[in-house]
Each structure stands twice: as structure tokens, then as C-alpha cells.
Amino acid sequence: MKNIAILAGDGIGPEIMAQGLKVLDKAQELFQLDFAYHPYVIGGAAIDEKGTPLPEETLAGCRTSDAILLAAIGGPKWDDAPERPEQGLLALRKALALYANIRPITVSRHTAHLSPLKEAIVVGSDFVVVRELTGGIYFGEPRELIDSQAVDTCVYRAEEIRRIMRKAFSIARTRRKKVTSVDKSNVLATSKLWRRIAEEVALEFPDVTLEHQLVDSAAMVLITKPTVFDVIVTENMFGDILSDEASVIPGSLGLLPSASHSEDGPSLYEPIHGSAPDIAGQDIANPLSMIYSITMMLRQSFSLHEAADCIEAACDSVMAQGIITKDLGGTAATSQFTEAVIQQMTLKRGG
Ligand code: NAD
Ligand code: IPM
Ligand code: MN
């Protein structure tokens, strides 16, 4: 039996987690899987229940799990809390040393016309953002906020850059063998070191091509010529911003999953988006970001490719029938969309 820590969180988090687990339940039945779910509170829900966004039981449960599923945290209710929900997620990433955040972006031929960008621009887009997740300005010290000034510090140690570069090059090796390293080396010291180490690591991967791109122009190329990218590797905050921007290529933040890996412990799988307070409680969120996070888990933590293929093919068929949620211009409710996916899974498995 494999143990999955379930962190539903806040806002649309519990809604999309419930739908994702229905899909996983169906996969368990169709493919005789043996996953046990262990729910824990995190974020705002944990502040309300336990007074802290990452309670000890939650962290301990995650540490001893085989994988972690997280939906989303945060919301206006906790804007003025002494410790915000976001601190819980950042502390979890840091505590488990989840330094490599993998954010794949692809465009299905069934939905390319749904992108706000021209179809001709987005068709064929297929790239991965490899975001460094435990360093940079998110975690650097000193950090200060007083009335007269505020300070954040961006720090990268060479070893932190080297390990994320190696991860990006290893992924590129399994794909089209091109890495685009995104930095701001015309201004920032951390980016100068980033670029130097990218060059060093490239020597270990002679079959992979390395390009450098400054982050400002990368933000432009991302939505004018997204098909040029294969693997984008970048530091924590640039990766955060560029991946949300990249969601306009397939057409919605509600489509994008991610995986976060450490060197040994359990991996964490979560949508790239947040708790979407503007649509919470209405059964209109797109559950695909959560469903695809689950298929990433099945593949990357458990090598269950057949079950993941079945779920993804079912999602494709549902979208091909024009069943889509509101974010993509459709009318399907979150729960209706999921029911349609589950039906397709049964059909595909010959049930
Ligand atoms: P958001 O990602 O929650 O929402 C941005 C926009 O995308 C909203 O219009 C929302 O309705 C839409 N959206 C997001 N997910 C969707 C889905 N599955 N289906 C349909 N539409 C979807 O960003 P925000 O509004 O800036 O942040 C809200 C809260 O979420 C904040 O507290 C923020 O800190 C937090 N947040 C958490 C995470 C996380 O849990 N990993 C990530 C980002 C933001
Ligand atoms: C994300 C989110 C988080 C981040 C926030 C909620 C701390 O935006 O997962 O992309 O900035 O990493
Ligand atoms: Mn983000």
C-alpha cells in the first residue's frame, strides 16, 4: 500500500481535490491500485483549526508519506493574519527540500482554439518550466519590514544552482534536448552566477543545447513564439511569474499542474494556481490542474503510466466533445466535467 498525504487547503482547493480524488478512486478500481489517503490541514484552514499554517502533524504526515497532493492555499480572510497561509506552503517546500518544481505546458489540439492567443501561435507548444523552488528572494536573509523601509534578499549558492541545472538538463535529455536558461544577468549578481553555472553544467551534457535569455524578453517570446521552448530553467520568482504567464498559451491557469521533487524524500504534486477566491464555492473551477497533478504523481512517483494514460486520454475525449468549464468558455460544472472524465475512463478500460 502507498500512502498519499492529502492537503486540500482553501478556496477552490477542497473542491478540486474532491474531484481529483474521485478520478483517482476510479483509477484505483480500474487498475487495482492500492493508495491510502491521509488528509491534513494546511494554509488558512490550518490557521483556523490549529493557529498555524503548517501544523506539526501535517509536516510529519507529509514526511512519512509516499507522495503529497496539495490543491491550493490562501485567501482574503487571512490577509492580516500574523502568519499567512502562504507561509505554510513555503515552509513545507523548504522543510522537504523540494527544490525542483516542474511545470509542463502543452496545448491539446482539441483546445488550441480556446487560447486567447492566435491558434497558429500556440499549436504545437510543448515545454517544461523547471523552477528553482527553495532559494532566491523567497528565502534570502535579511528580510525586514518597518515603516520607513523594507528589505528582501536574493541569495543563491552555487550548489543550489548546479542541482537545478542538472535537473533541467536531465529532463531535456528525455525531450528535444534544448535548455533555455532565463536570468537577469545584465543586472543581478545572482543571475551572473546562474549563467556561469549553466555554462559549467552544459559541459556535462554535450548532447543538450544551452541558450540564455534575459527574463524580460523571455516574457515576450513566451507568448509570441512559445513553440521555440523545450526546457526553461529559471530561479524561483522568475519561474513563478513566467509559468502563470505561460498559462495563457493553453488558455487557463486551471489547466496547469506541477511536481516538486527533492533529492530523496516524497514529491509534492499541486496545481500552479492559487485558491481562486473569486470563484470558490460555485462548482465552476476547472479540476484539470488537480487531475493532471495526479497523473504527474502516478507517473513520476509510482511509474503507473498506464493508469495516467487512461486518465489523460479520458480528459482529452471529454474536451473533444466540447465539455469544458467556464474558464475556457464552457458551461460544464466542475462536478459534471469530472463525471464525464470518469465515464470515459470506464469506456477506455473496456468496463
Ligand atoms: P489564483 O491563481 O488563485 O487565481 C487567478 C485567476 O485564475 C482567478 O481569476 C481564478 O479564478 C483563476 N483560476 C485559478 N485556478 C482556476 C481553476 N482551477 N479554474 C478556473 N479558474 C481558475 O491567484 P490569486 O487570485 O492571485 O491568488 C488567490 C490566493 O491564492 C492568494 O492568497 C495567493 O497567495 C494564493 N496562491 C496560492 C497558490 C498555491 O496554493 N500554490 C498559488 C498561487 C496563489
Ligand atoms: C505558486 C504560488 C506560491 C509561490 C505562493 C502561494 C507562495 O504562487 O505556487 O506558484 O509564489 O510559489
Ligand atoms: Mn505562483
Side-chain angles (χ1 to χ4, degrees):
M1 188 203 291
K2 298 290 183 193
N3 294 305
I4 315 291
I6 306 291
L7 314 182
D10 310 314
I12 62 167
E15 300 171 38
I16 60 171
M17 181 65 85
Q19 305 304 320
L21 292 183
K22 280 191 207 164
V23 170
L24 186 54
D25 282 342
K26 190 69 192 177
Q28 297 227 59
E29 177 194 319
L30 294 175
F31 294 87
Q32 285 90 49
L33 311 181
D34 196 11
F35 290 119
Y37 309 146
H38 304 277
Y40 300 99
V41 285
I42 192 169
I47 294 176
D48 288 353
E49 203 172 297
K50 312 255 179 180
T52 171
L54 182 64
E56 268 173 38
E57 310 85 90
T58 301
L59 180 56
C62 289
R63 277 193 203 284
T64 53
S65 69
D66 295 294
I68 305 152
L69 287 175
L70 185 146
I73 50 86
K77 179 176 173 194
W78 302 281
D79 274 353
D80 300 318
E83 248 195 311
R84 290 181 57 124
E86 290 80 354
Q87 285 310 120
L89 177 58
L90 296 175
L92 178 64
R93 291 172 179 169
K94 193 71 173 175
L96 299 183
L98 298 164
Y99 72 95
N101 181 223
I102 315 297
R103 300 185 159 188
I105 288 106
T106 54
V107 173
S108 145
R109 66 195 160 84
H110 303 304
T111 55
H113 63 287
L114 301 174
S115 171
L117 302 177
K118 290 186 183 118
E119 194 170 343
I121 289 178
V122 302
V123 165
S125 299
D126 177 4
F127 62 93
V128 180
V129 176
V130 177
R131 171 188 175 195
E132 202 292 323
L133 202 62
T134 51
I137 200 163
Y138 275 61
F139 295 96
E141 296 288 343
R143 169 181 300 256
E144 178 191 56
L145 171 59
I146 54 173
D147 285 345
S148 56
Q149 70 166 14
V151 178
D152 292 294
T153 304
C154 188
V155 187
Y156 267 110
R157 289 181 292 111
E159 207 36 54
E160 290 175 308
I161 304 174
R162 197 166 287 119
R163 66 181 179 178
I164 194 71
M165 281 296 163
R166 287 191 176 132
K167 179 65 92 178
F169 276 82
S170 305
I171 292 172
R173 211 166 232 179
T174 68
R175 299 174 45 95
R176 300 194 306 280
K177 299 188 170 53
K178 179 176 159 189
V179 170
T180 305
S181 171
V182 171
D183 64 32
K184 187 75 185 172
S185 62
N186 52 346
V187 177
L188 301 176
T190 43
S191 281
K192 291 189 173 100
L193 184 63
W194 185 272
R195 197 172 275 220
R196 198 185 300 160
I197 292 188
E199 292 287 344
E200 281 173 25
V201 171
L203 299 175
E204 300 169 18
F205 296 83
D207 52 323
V208 177
T209 307
L210 170 66
E211 285 179 358
H212 302 283
Q213 179 118 33
L214 296 171
V215 63
D216 44 1
S217 64
M220 182 272 295
V221 178
L222 199 59
I223 50 169
T224 50
K225 272 190 170 185
T227 53
V228 303
F229 295 112
D230 179 18
V231 174
I232 294 174
V233 62
T234 192
E235 63 92 62
N236 204 342
M237 188 159 74
F238 297 161
D240 178 45
I241 297 168
L242 291 181
S243 54
D244 266 40
E245 185 197 2
S247 74
V248 304
I249 300 165
S252 171
L253 260 182
L255 289 168
L256 297 191
S258 81
S260 302
H261 302 297
S262 63
E263 253 139 33
D264 34 38
S267 297
L268 180 151
Y269 299 86
E270 58 167 328
I272 82 159
H273 62 70
S275 58
D278 54 335
I279 59 165
Q282 301 173 42
D283 196 29
I284 56 171
N286 192 336
L288 277 167
S289 56
M290 194 71 235
I291 296 173
Y292 290 145
S293 296
I294 289 172
T295 61
M296 284 187 92
M297 176 190 79
L298 291 174
R299 291 182 195 287
Q300 297 186 16
S301 283
F302 305 112
S303 298
L304 291 167
H305 300 286
E306 212 191 343
D309 285 346
C310 173
I311 296 172
E312 287 166 4
C315 294
D316 247 28
S317 301
V318 169
M319 285 189 280
Q321 291 167 29
I323 301 175
I324 44 174
T325 44
K326 195 173 174 190
D327 51 315
L328 289 168
T331 55
T334 314
S335 46
Q336 282 172 333
F337 183 90
T338 312
E339 283 313 316
V341 170
I342 288 169
Q343 265 181 25
Q344 282 296 322
M345 286 169 68
T346 309
L347 285 174
K348 294 199 184 297
R349 189 67 178 159

